[in-house]
Structures are given as C-alpha cells and as structure tokens.
C-alpha cells in the first residue's frame, strides 16, 4: 500500500471528517447512552457497504479485508463527558452539561474516514481489519463490556489513537510510545461521612459531617506528601465534594469522590494507597464523632504497549508521515484509558495524534470545559488508522 496515496486520499476526505466531527461535537452523549451517536456511525458504515455488528451494550464492530490471515483491531471511542462546554466554537455542544472534552468525537470521525479508505482498498488487505466503535470509555466500562461480548475473539493485535491538545508541539504529529507501561492504572473512590443533621444555629447538638469531611480531605494529603517516596508514582485526587443543600441546615452526610492513579505493574502502590485511605478515613471520622466508609470502584489497569508492535509501528508511521511520526521514549502518562483491558489481552499500541499546539492558543488540555482541539489534521488520524492496519497485516505475511 502506497503511503503517499493513502495520505492524499485521507486529505481529500478532510471536509467530510470535519463535518462528522463537528456534528458529533454538537451532540455529546455519555457512557452507553449513545442514542444519537450509535445510529450516526452505524448508518454511515452501512452506506459504505459494511455489515455492522452490535457488540455489548452499545458498541459497533465491522470488518474490512478477508479471513485466513491475521486480524488487527483499530478502535475509536464515542462517548463524551458530563461537563458544561465553555468554548466559543460555533459547533459547541447543544446539550447543557455534556461535552466532547476528551476528543472522542475526533476519534469517531477519524475512524469513519479509515472505514471508507479500508473499504476502498479492501482487495489489497493481507488479512482482516476489525473496526471497533466503543462506548463508555470515560466510565472505564465500555472496553470491558465489549471484550466480554467477544470483541477480541480472533484478534492478533490492537491499535488506538487518542488526540492530545495543549502540548508544545505542532498539530498533526503521530506519537508512537515505546514498549512498556504507557498510561497509569485508575481506580475511583467514594467516601461517605455520616454525622447527625441539625440546625445551623446549634452545631453542638448535631454532629457536623462537613467539618469531619474537610479534616479527612486534608489528612488524606499526608499520604501523597509524607508517605509515598518522591521517586515513586502514586497519585490520588478528590475531584467531587458534596454536602448540604442550604445555609442553615447541617446535613446528615458529606460525600467525596476521587481517583487513584499508579503505574506499578503489580499494583502494590494502589493497594498501599487504598489501605492508608481506609485507615485515615475511619480514624479521623471516629475522632470527630462521625462514621465514614470508603468504597472503591471502576478499576482500570495500566495501558501496556507491546514492545514488538511498537517497534513495527514506528517505521510504519514514518513511512506515512516522515518526521511527523515521533518516537516517544518517556515515562508513563498520569492519565488512564480503558483500552488498557485490551492491552492486557492482545499485543497493543496506543498512539497519540497531536491536535492543539499550546503556543497557538490551545491552552486547555482534555477534560477542561474550555478544551478545544485542532481538527485541521483529522485526516492524519484517518491515514494513520488506515495505513497502520494495512501495513501491519503486510508485515505479518512478509
Ligand atoms: Zn477522557
Ligand atoms: Zn479520552
């Protein structure tokens, strides 16, 4: 397959890639609840001539190429975040409280472009490409759900792309990580502190859970600052703190939700953080006459890049993009990605597409209400998905 031709054909698709991305951006949906997005994707794939399978609660899968050789999986995720968009782009979210702030609208559009090119070049494929459109990445449930429904049956290798904004790098580069852990594991926590509600004027006859929760919040910081070796990576952050409804009522409970990130392959760091959180939460609550509990949920492991697939991927991307394909030798990212579940089952590469140069005003990274992505290089993502899949299959038969 000719890389120059693929890049040119992808570039010719740029107007329709933009149209799809911006349409999806206006219609963000959460988790498995993709009533606009899923039919949007399915109907476009069917119009290209694909037979589309529904996999799991809201996933879609289709194939290009032929059986008999290897099968390579490429993935785009489709879900958005519960964030109120604060950008001034003309195609901003039409749904208050929901926003494509992680760029999954870009991924879906790039994958639709790849579907078109792979269909066009289907007879040249030396095996089979499995195209995956995944829901519920942000809740770390979609990948697992699709795997349980058979996503990886017969799959020999897997690849995904995530867009990255607010980097000091030009847009349109593909970053290829080396073998090893490339993204942190993640586990969410929920702390409930129970006191005794009452009148704001008489705290002495109530038990104030807000004060106790505030002490717990501060005490937990000691784990980060005093108990973890500065050379080791272990992060946790409370991102959601909720208590009370009005100014003169002491509530019954205060609640906190947060996230734990580690990059330890045996997850000893995660186990340590969880054990110390439990000690501190119950100890501080007891000292302040409250009861408290911590629950842990939605675990997602580290993303593991396969060394061999990484070593194959870099030259493939260099054939396509020259110096815009970047050999990335860096410590794991703090962020997590539920393609991790795939990476623990089949050899995987998870690349990044740079999409927003910090120096050109793209100053907000993903998950910020002001995040903007530079969508002028969607075609690079489409070309990367297409060319990686085709060339990977070629290299397998060489
Ligand atoms: Zn995200
Ligand atoms: Zn994401």
């Amino acid at each position: 397959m000719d890389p120059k031709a693929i890049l040119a054909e992808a570039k010719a698709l740029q107007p329709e890639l933009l149209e799809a991305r911006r349409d999806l951006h206006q219609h963000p949906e959460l988790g498995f609840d993709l009533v606009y997005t899923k039919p949007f994707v399915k109907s476009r794939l069917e119009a290209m001539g694909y037979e589309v399978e529904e996999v799991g609660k809201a996933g879609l899968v289709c194939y290009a190429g032929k059986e008999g050789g290897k099968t390579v999986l490429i993935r785009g995720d489709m879900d958005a975040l519960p964030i109120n968009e604060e950008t001034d782009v003309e195609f901003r979210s039409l749904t208050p409280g929901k926003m494509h702030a992680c760029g999954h609208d870009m991924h879906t559009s790039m994958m639709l472009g790849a579907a078109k090119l792979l269909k066009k070049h289907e007879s040249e494929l030396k095996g089979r490409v499995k195209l995956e459109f995944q829901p519920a990445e942000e809740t770390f449930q979609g990948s697992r759900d699709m795997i349980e429904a058979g996503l990886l049956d017969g799959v020999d290798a897997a690849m995904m792309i995530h867009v990255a904004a607010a980097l000091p790098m030009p847009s349109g580069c593909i970053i290829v990580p080396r073998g090893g852990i490339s993204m942190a594991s993640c586990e969410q926590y929920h702390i409930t502190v129970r006191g005794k509600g009452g009148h704001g004027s008489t705290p002495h006859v109530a038990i104030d859970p807000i004060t106790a929760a505030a002490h717990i919040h501060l005490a937990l910081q000691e784990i980060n600052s005093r108990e973890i070796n500065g050379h080791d990576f272990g992060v946790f952050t409370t991102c959601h703190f909720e208590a009370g409804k009005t100014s003169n009522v002491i509530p019954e409970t205060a609640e906190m939700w947060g996230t734990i990130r580690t990059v330890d392959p045996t997850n000893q760091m995660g186990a340590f953080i969880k054990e110390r959180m439990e000690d501190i939460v119950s100890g501080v609550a007891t000292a302040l006459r409250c009861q408290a509990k911590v629950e842990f949920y939605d675990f997602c492991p580290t993303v593991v890049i396969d060394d061999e697939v990484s070593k194959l991927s870099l030259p493939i991307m260099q054939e396509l993009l020259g110096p815009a394909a970047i050999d990335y030798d860096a410590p794991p990212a703090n962020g997590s990605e539920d393609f991790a579940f795939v990476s623990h089952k089949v050899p995987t590469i998870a690349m990044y597409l740079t999409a927003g140069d910090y120096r050109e005003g793209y100053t907000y990274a993903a998950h910020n209400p002001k995040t903007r992505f530079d969508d002028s290089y969607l075609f690079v993502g489409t070309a990367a998905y297409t060319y990686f899949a085709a060339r990977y299959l070629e290299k397998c038969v060489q």
Side-chain angles (χ1 to χ4, degrees):
M1 192 168 275
D2 177 13
K4 283 199 176 62
I6 291 297
L7 198 58
E9 287 168 29
K11 203 165 187 177
L13 293 180
Q14 176 67 12
E16 68 182 76
L17 301 176
L18 264 184
E19 178 272 319
R21 185 263 159 156
R22 294 181 175 194
D23 190 324
L24 291 167
H25 194 86
Q26 285 190 303
H27 299 95
E29 296 176 304
L30 306 183
F32 290 108
D33 197 13
L34 306 178
V35 294
Y36 181 88
T37 310
K38 197 174 84 165
F40 180 101
V41 171
K42 193 176 182 188
S43 62
R44 288 182 182 222
L45 290 171
E46 283 171 348
M48 295 173 203
Y50 283 100
E51 225 171 275
V52 184
E53 284 172 38
E54 308 228 353
V55 176
K57 289 181 191 153
L60 296 173
V61 156
C62 61
Y63 293 95
K66 51 192 169 295
E67 276 183 87
K70 298 269 186 195
T71 298
V72 61
L73 177 87
I74 55 175
R75 184 211 70 169
D77 41 7
M78 305 185 281
D79 58 317
L81 283 157
I83 291 176
N84 208 35
E85 179 156 2
E86 292 177 23
T87 73
D88 53 7
V89 298
E90 69 210 24
F91 51 90
R92 69 184 156 273
S93 169
L94 297 175
T95 312
K98 295 180 189 174
M99 174 188 181
H100 268 295
C102 202
H104 299 183
D105 51 341
M106 307 263 285
H107 305 161
T108 305
S109 158
M110 282 151 35
M111 276 286 290
L112 283 170
K116 201 164 219 182
L117 293 184
L118 287 164
K119 198 64 175 169
K120 184 176 170 195
H121 293 275
E122 192 160 27
S123 63
E124 298 161 50
L125 297 173
K126 306 281 185 252
R128 207 163 56 142
V129 184
K130 187 168 190 173
L131 294 92
E132 178 198 3
F133 292 85
Q134 187 208 303
E137 191 286 317
E138 294 293 354
T139 57
F140 301 120
Q141 292 172 345
S143 184
R144 215 168 19 182
D145 178 63
M146 289 185 76
I147 292 170
E148 281 164 11
L151 173 75
L152 298 178
D153 296 350
V155 170
D156 297 291
M159 178 267 211
M160 59 156 276
I161 299 176
H162 205 297
V163 290
L167 300 176
M169 286 172 71
S171 296
C173 298
I174 290 279
I175 295 171
V176 183
R178 295 209 182 162
I181 292 175
S182 78
M183 294 179 89
S185 72
C186 170
E187 188 158 8
Q188 319 291 39
Y189 59 84
H190 175 204
I191 300 170
T192 310
V193 183
R194 183 167 292 280
K196 184 180 165 205
H199 201 290
S201 67
T202 54
H204 57 289
V205 295
I207 300 173
D208 181 359
I210 297 180
T211 314
H215 279 285
I216 288 170
H217 175 65
L218 292 176
L220 288 173
Q221 309 312 311
E222 305 294 333
I223 304 174
N224 279 330
S225 69
R226 300 287 77 191
E227 299 187 17
I228 293 174
N229 185 331
H231 293 289
D232 296 334
F233 179 86
V235 168
F236 67 93
T237 303
T238 296
C239 297
H240 180 180
F241 193 123
E242 202 171 295
K245 288 265 185 283
T246 187
S247 61
N248 59 359
V249 177
I250 295 170
E252 284 282 311
T253 58
E255 292 176 88
M256 293 178 266
W257 290 262
T259 189
I260 302 169
R261 308 294 167 118
T262 74
V263 294
D264 173 359
T266 59
N267 206 30
Q268 281 177 359
M269 175 65 81
F272 169 75
I273 290 173
K274 285 163 68 173
E275 188 188 319
R276 291 295 296 134
M277 285 184 87
E278 282 179 329
D279 291 347
I280 288 172
V281 166
S282 66
V284 175
T286 303
L288 298 175
R289 301 183 296 155
C290 287
Q291 290 168 330
K293 61 173 184 195
V294 198
E295 292 156 295
F296 300 98
Y297 63 100
D298 281 351
F299 176 73
C300 173
T302 52
V303 173
V304 182
I305 302 298
D306 183 80
D307 198 41
E308 230 170 275
V309 179
S310 169
K311 284 184 179 136
L312 277 176
S313 301
L314 183 65
I316 291 175
M317 287 299 111
Q318 285 168 335
E319 285 168 20
L320 181 71
L321 301 167
I326 293 163
D327 175 15
Y328 190 61
D329 182 16
N334 292 25
S336 304
E337 159 62 63
D338 86 343
F339 206 60
F341 289 104
V342 171
S343 79
H344 284 257
K345 293 199 181 286
V346 298
T348 291
I349 183 78
M351 305 184 193
Y352 298 95
L353 168 67
T354 60
D357 188 334
Y358 187 88
R359 298 161 300 186
E360 289 175 6
Y362 292 92
T363 46
Y364 296 97
H367 289 215
N368 186 291
K370 293 192 173 72
T371 304
R372 288 181 303 121
F373 291 98
D374 182 357
D375 58 12
S376 48
Y377 290 90
L378 287 168
F379 71 94
V380 173
T382 283
Y385 275 126
T386 309
Y387 191 68
F388 167 81
R391 278 296 280 150
Y392 181 80
L393 292 173
E394 279 178 11
K395 286 193 181 225
C396 287
V397 294
Q398 273 163 10

